[in-house]
Amino acid sequence: MKKIRSWVAAIPGTLLSIGLPAISHAQAIRTLESVVVTTPASEAPLVVRTDPKAPRQPVPAHDGADFLKSIPGFSVIRKGGTDGDPVFRGFSGSRLGILLDGQEIYGGCGGRMDPPTAYVYPESYDRVTVLKGPQSVRYGAGQSAGVVLFERETERMPVFGWRAAGSLTLGGFGRNDQMADVLVGGPQAYVRAGGTRAQADDYEDGDGRRIHSEYLRWSSHAAIGLTPDDRTRIELSAALSDGRAAYADRAMDGTKFRRENVSLLFEKKRLGGLVDEIEARVYRNDVDHVMDNYSLRPARPGMYNVMNPDRKTTGGRLSATLRPAETWDLVLGADAKRDVHRARGAMRQADAVAADAAYRAAPRVEDMRFEQRGVFLESTWHASEASRLVGGLRLDWHEAEDKRAPAASATAGRTDRRTLTSGFLRHERDFGVGGTWYAGIGHAERFPDYWERMKASPDGGNSAFLSTKPEKTTQLDVGASWRSGPFGLSAAAFYGRIDDYILINWDLGRTRNVDAVVMGGELDASWQFSTAWQGVASLAYVRGENRTDDKPLAQQPPLEARLGLNYAQGDYSAGVLWRLAASQNRYDKGSGNIVANGKDIGPSAGFGVLSLNAGWRPVKSVLLTAGVDNVLDKTYAEHLSKTGTSIGVDVFPTDTRINEPGRVFWLKAQIALD
């Protein structure tokens, strides 16, 4: 079995070494874009799409959270080199839906060592779409902040052939990433396979201080599809990934991040008549996660500890797109999922051998189970060529069962059942040439998640399983986008009222409900002021208020701006990025989110980081890019960074944020063949 795992882990590098790297010719051209420093402005109201294969600055870690950080409005709860938790508009955890090819995935660690984005390898996908706010009901329940869709697209091939893409990234602190993706097929069927491998050593901050942060991760995916005609696709896909990661913020490191996935998709498009499209998918995600305090750091004698949570999520979705009239589109659907969390472990063992043997011999014990069933309807009515009315309704039946032992939970054996609703209504109108404005109201009701229920209750009891109420968000979203000649502008603003916001006080270890208000927005602008030069800028801001306690809402990112200047002429490109974060003086000390000790510790200083990049396309199918992140070798920490730990590693004390990497040089080579 170990040999098989090593062979699978070697697939990405092997494919790249023989020149086989995925996608259609159109996608290949898109893949070889210049360096992305700020994501392009929204191409539709409340929607941002971006190419995950395009090189980015600063060069992100291999995971989904660091990738999303390049999109205005996103922040990351950092804890070292990788596997941070994404935050959008100040919202994190289950408020933000993360879907991989239409499938929901959850991490296993009770302290969020492995958030869903830890299992996302962005460059293996063809497109990333962000849907902002509670302005859609099609992709799951309770996603008040929005939804992120990581998607692969495989078009029917008109004739038999093959297409391939690949990349290699090298950088400071031992950075070494590879990606390969191959598609072979014809009009009737196709096979697609690929993989990624990412590795980095401990990095150093601007003062030269080593941060416990090394990682090694790999992933592989494969799909077999049948395309009997232009309108039909049946696809069976599978994915397997694993790795390790060291963390500066806690007493353990991750030594296993195994994800096994299988999915079956059926879709029928352009049917004509009342039913225009049908899509159905069933899937299973198994996450098996191991963390210990001895594999990647020294442990004290007799204190060798290991924990092994796992999580199995099975689900399905069925939807039909109807066209009752030429000006009216209607999507009807239903989805369901079952989510089971288990754990085992061994504590205070004599040595590593004893700890490994003890936890593997221990039975896996279920501690919580969730089930959800939902139906939804989403409608788009084209009132005129320039005006649209978009709306949707959703009804979900939730059930959670506390499977813990009575000694560990006062609510052991109890079940929480809720029927929750969500909906939205939005008006969109085009103006002038290339302009659109919109205004929408949305409401989302969120069932408390695993991490929130596992804490103590507000009165000090040992379980918040039944005392935590569903969170109810009602939000107004307004905005506009405009593009004319060399100018582009996109602005979005929101104001939300949250009843029963779920807040965790880490100093007391308790979960409770409060009432809150949030507001903020994003601004993107671009100006192509000559044939070769373009200026880009973005701004993101969020402000949250805890109305119950009359204080700031915890874990809110500061005002952030990005200013970029790009040059592109012929086969050459260059660019500069200046990222600016303001100081944050609004905090609620001790309170935070579901990430272990993801809490406010006090104010944070502002900072500015300068980065440079350049690119060269020697031939149409090859792009070489290089860059320097943090050119001035600045020492700084993000406001939402976790704090350090002194257990087993020489990093930072528990009341100090973890510093970010100092100066980093990087080089990326991409190839696209068909």
Side-chain angles (χ1 to χ4, degrees):
M1 191 64 181
K2 289 184 178 179
K3 286 187 176 181
I4 294 176
R5 290 177 182 172
S6 65
W7 294 340
V8 174
I11 286 175
T14 304
L15 290 175
L16 188 67
S17 68
I18 61 176
L20 293 180
I23 347 192
S24 68
H25 184 62
Q27 290 172 315
I29 294 174
R30 187 183 69 226
T31 297
L32 303 185
E33 289 179 346
S34 302
V35 175
V36 176
V37 295
T38 65
T39 297
S42 299
E43 60 181 59
L46 296 162
V47 177
V48 175
R49 290 192 177 93
T50 186
D51 179 7
K53 290 181 168 60
R56 292 172 181 266
Q57 188 166 47
V59 60
H62 71 89
D63 68 318
D66 249 31
F67 172 84
L68 292 173
K69 190 178 177 181
S70 66
I71 300 175
F74 275 93
S75 306
V76 176
I77 303 169
R78 293 277 291 158
K79 53 194 175 192
T82 187
D83 297 341
D85 230 298
V87 179
F88 183 59
R89 292 177 165 179
F91 288 150
S92 61
S94 57
R95 300 178 180 99
L96 179 65
I98 305 292
L99 274 68
L100 283 59
D101 281 325
Q103 308 164 55
E104 292 192 71
I105 181 175
Y106 305 98
C109 176
R112 297 285 284 191
M113 182 182 285
D114 64 330
T117 46
Y119 299 95
V120 176
Y121 303 85
E123 205 171 344
S124 69
Y125 293 88
D126 300 322
R127 182 176 66 185
V128 176
T129 302
V130 178
L131 308 177
K132 299 181 179 182
Q135 288 287 312
S136 179
V137 294
R138 298 170 57 180
Y139 300 102
Q143 296 157 341
S144 52
V147 181
V148 182
L149 309 175
F150 291 88
E151 299 171 301
R152 295 188 180 97
E153 295 179 315
T154 307
E155 299 175 355
R156 186 175 188 239
M157 302 178 70
V159 296
F160 181 81
W162 64 275
R163 298 162 187 167
S167 71
L168 171 66
T169 302
L170 301 174
F173 308 121
R175 183 69 181 269
N176 184 351
D177 296 2
Q178 306 98 45
M179 183 280 295
D181 199 3
V182 181
L183 172 67
V184 179
Q188 300 300 310
Y190 64 85
V191 176
R192 181 176 180 177
T196 68
R197 183 183 181 277
Q199 184 172 12
D201 298 333
D202 291 344
Y203 67 76
E204 295 179 358
D205 66 13
D207 292 331
R209 188 171 189 177
R210 183 184 67 83
I211 309 298
H212 187 64
S213 58
E214 66 104 343
Y215 62 82
L216 171 63
R217 306 293 283 274
W218 62 264
S219 73
S220 58
H221 64 270
I224 300 174
L226 301 177
T227 53
D229 55 54
D230 288 336
R231 301 175 302 169
T232 307
R233 179 160 68 118
I234 303 171
E235 182 183 90
L236 177 64
S237 62
L240 177 65
S241 61
D242 205 345
R244 67 170 189 262
Y247 298 109
D249 73 309
R250 60 191 66 203
M252 286 186 171
D253 302 305
T255 57
K256 183 178 182 181
F257 294 82
R258 187 176 181 85
R259 176 194 174 221
E260 298 177 2
N261 162 257
V262 63
S263 172
L264 179 63
L265 169 70
F266 169 80
E267 62 181 16
K268 194 88 170 177
K269 298 182 177 181
R270 301 184 301 278
L271 296 177
L274 175 63
V275 181
D276 186 64
E277 180 178 332
I278 296 175
E279 180 180 319
R281 183 189 293 273
V282 293
Y283 63 90
R284 178 185 175 103
N285 272 302
D286 290 356
V287 168
D288 192 4
H289 174 49
V290 176
M291 60 195 102
D292 67 45
N293 68 342
Y294 51 84
S295 295
L296 302 179
R297 68 176 75 193
R300 298 197 303 270
M303 292 296 293
Y304 284 72
N305 304 324
V306 56
M307 298 178 67
N308 179 204
D310 70 28
R311 199 155 191 169
K312 299 183 185 299
T313 306
T314 55
R317 181 178 184 273
L318 173 65
S319 68
T321 302
L322 311 182
R323 189 152 292 170
E326 188 174 338
T327 58
W328 186 18
D329 296 332
L330 188 65
V331 180
L332 299 173
D335 52 34
K337 67 176 183 289
R338 172 178 291 182
D339 177 35
V340 178
H341 188 279
R342 304 184 302 176
R344 62 181 179 179
M347 308 297 285
R348 300 177 181 274
Q349 299 296 305
D351 52 37
V353 173
D356 285 344
Y359 97 81
R360 288 174 179 151
R364 297 182 187 268
V365 179
E366 184 177 340
D367 56 8
M368 210 167 288
R369 176 185 294 253
F370 294 83
E371 293 190 11
Q372 172 266 331
R373 300 177 301 281
V375 293
F376 59 87
L377 177 154
E378 192 163 304
S379 169
T380 302
W381 177 49
H382 298 265
S384 67
E385 289 187 2
S387 179
R388 296 166 297 281
L389 193 63
V390 186
L393 291 172
R394 182 179 181 94
L395 183 64
D396 289 284
W397 295 270
H398 294 273
E399 181 176 304
E401 185 177 359
D402 190 345
K403 306 287 286 187
R404 292 172 289 179
S409 171
T411 57
R414 302 286 296 276
T415 299
D416 186 15
R417 295 183 178 89
R418 305 275 182 159
T419 301
L420 303 179
T421 58
S422 301
F424 74 98
L425 184 64
R426 182 174 72 249
H427 181 232
E428 304 173 2
R429 188 171 184 84
D430 302 330
F431 64 89
V433 178
T436 301
W437 67 265
Y438 64 88
I441 186 77
H443 178 79
E445 298 182 354
R446 184 176 69 87
F447 199 52
D449 61 33
Y450 171 83
W451 298 272
E452 292 160 341
R453 293 176 183 271
M454 288 291 285
K455 302 297 181 292
S457 60
D459 61 5
N462 66 357
S463 174
F465 183 83
L466 293 177
S467 62
T468 307
K469 302 175 185 177
E471 187 176 276
K472 297 169 280 292
T473 301
T474 303
Q475 181 170 301
L476 174 67
D477 280 275
V478 298
S481 61
W482 172 74
R483 184 166 295 278
S484 178
F487 300 101
L489 182 66
S490 175
F494 64 94
Y495 177 88
R497 175 170 176 158
I498 311 170
D499 296 325
D500 295 320
Y501 179 91
I502 302 174
L503 182 69
I504 296 176
N505 186 305
W506 282 97
D507 289 346
L508 300 175
R510 298 177 184 178
T511 296
R512 69 187 184 105
N513 294 99
V514 299
D515 292 335
V517 168
V518 294
M519 64 190 77
E522 301 87 42
L523 179 68
D524 298 90
S526 65
W527 178 26
Q528 189 78 41
F529 54 87
S530 77
T531 57
W533 291 93
Q534 180 193 45
V536 295
S538 71
L539 188 70
Y541 176 70
V542 61
R543 180 187 178 96
E545 295 282 352
N546 176 345
R547 295 191 304 134
T548 298
D549 302 324
D550 193 23
K551 61 173 62 173
L553 194 62
Q555 288 282 277
Q556 300 294 293
L559 173 70
E560 180 174 318
R562 292 182 179 224
L563 304 174
L565 181 63
N566 301 323
Y567 169 85
Q569 189 72 30
D571 298 327
Y572 299 93
S573 67
V576 57
L577 168 66
W578 190 21
R579 178 179 171 235
L580 299 164
S583 60
Q584 179 59 288
N585 297 309
R586 295 176 50 78
Y587 60 91
D588 179 7
K589 193 170 184 178
S591 294
N593 48 61
I594 61 176
V595 180
N597 286 313
K599 62 182 181 181
D600 286 349
I601 62 170
S604 62
F607 59 83
V609 179
L610 186 68
S611 302
L612 304 173
N613 68 76
W616 174 46
R617 193 189 312 273
V619 295
K620 185 177 181 180
S621 60
V622 175
L623 176 64
L624 303 176
T625 51
V628 187
D629 296 343
N630 193 0
V631 173
L632 303 180
D633 206 18
K634 188 176 183 64
T635 301
Y636 70 102
E638 304 282 355
H639 176 74
L640 293 185
S641 168
K642 293 290 299 300
T643 55
T645 177
S646 58
I647 302 177
V649 288
D650 179 21
V651 203
F652 289 90
T654 56
D655 61 350
T656 305
R657 294 179 178 90
I658 299 167
N659 285 342
E660 294 297 302
R663 185 185 298 115
V664 178
F665 294 88
W666 57 267
L667 173 68
K668 183 167 187 173
Q670 292 175 272
I671 185 170
L673 305 171
D674 65 355

